Amino acid sequence: LLGLSSCSTPHVNAFKPATPPNHWIEPLPATQAHNGKLSDLNSWWQQFNDPVLLQLIDAAQKVSPDIEIAKARVIAAQTSVTVADAQLLPNITAEASASRGKTGQILPTANGVSLPTSNSASISANASWELDVWGKNKAAKNGEIARLAGTDALWHEARVIVAAQTANQYINYRLCENLSSAAKQNADSSNETARLSDL
């Protein structure tokens, strides 16, 4: 019994810290109004009823280097999860080789001499499986999954920031247009007032 109990897998991450108060926790993108989805993010900006703003945000999302960097990190994290998951599965490798060549032995024939041809081929397969007795590979996979969730949140954060910065610049531009229009109307009114005063 003692020998069998030593092979049992211990619980990974059995320690559970105390839950902090709710007002200390910022909701993750998956629990916000846009649910961490680009389509929902676009729907949120549609409430301004300005198609030009949506076009600018979409164009900015496509050319932003910050979003591309965040996306590359998400892909790298997905790859790490796949590699960590593969550590828990059996490993099978196969090799095949073939060769053809002339031997060094000279054989006499009716037309002279010839070098005989030799062919060789080999196929081999190996299978191995490392038992995760102490839970190291499982803990590594859990860590990579948590890292993937973090990089995914950062990717969405980059998209939100780019959309907000684009909207801010666009709104400032529209504000300048309105101020320019108001200044022109004010100048026209002043000119009209001056003309009437002259009359």
Side-chain angles (χ1 to χ4, degrees):
L1 290 176
L2 182 62
L4 291 176
S5 63
S6 64
C7 294
S8 64
T9 303
H11 294 288
V12 180
N13 297 333
F15 173 73
K16 299 292 182 189
T19 304
N22 289 333
H23 61 277
W24 287 9
I25 301 174
E26 178 69 20
L28 294 175
T31 61
Q32 293 176 352
H34 38 69
N35 294 323
K37 297 178 182 176
L38 188 57
S39 59
D40 292 346
L41 182 63
N42 291 337
S43 299
W44 190 88
W45 287 105
Q46 283 177 356
Q47 62 186 329
F48 289 93
N49 295 323
D50 194 333
V52 177
L53 175 60
L54 294 177
Q55 293 175 2
L56 290 174
I57 289 176
D58 185 55
Q61 298 269 343
K62 292 179 180 177
V63 299
S64 171
D66 294 336
I67 292 179
E68 289 302 317
I69 291 171
K71 184 177 179 180
R73 289 176 179 163
V74 169
I75 294 173
Q78 289 172 341
T79 304
S80 298
V81 170
T82 303
V83 170
D85 192 31
Q87 296 297 324
L88 298 171
L89 301 174
N91 183 18
I92 299 175
T93 58
E95 295 180 2
S97 64
S99 64
R100 179 182 176 93
K102 300 281 188 180
T103 62
Q105 182 181 5
I106 300 175
L107 299 177
T109 62
N111 297 330
V113 295
S114 68
L115 297 173
T117 302
S118 64
N119 299 322
S120 63
S122 64
I123 298 175
S124 63
N126 298 320
S128 63
W129 186 20
E130 179 184 353
L131 293 176
D132 194 17
V133 176
W134 305 111
K136 174 188 171 187
N137 294 337
K138 181 67 174 175
K141 179 183 175 182
N142 292 339
E144 295 300 336
I145 290 174
R147 190 173 291 110
L148 173 60
T151 55
D152 193 32
L154 291 175
W155 179 33
H156 185 71
E157 179 188 23
R159 293 185 299 179
V160 171
I161 289 174
V162 168
Q165 289 175 343
T166 304
N168 188 34
Q169 295 292 330
Y170 176 70
I171 289 171
N172 287 337
Y173 171 74
R174 294 299 298 269
L175 176 62
C176 289
E177 277 189 336
N178 292 335
L179 290 176
S180 176
S181 177
K184 184 178 182 303
Q185 291 176 2
N186 189 21
D188 292 342
S189 176
S190 297
N191 291 334
E192 183 65 15
T193 302
R195 187 184 67 80
L196 293 177
S197 298
D198 290 340
L199 290 176

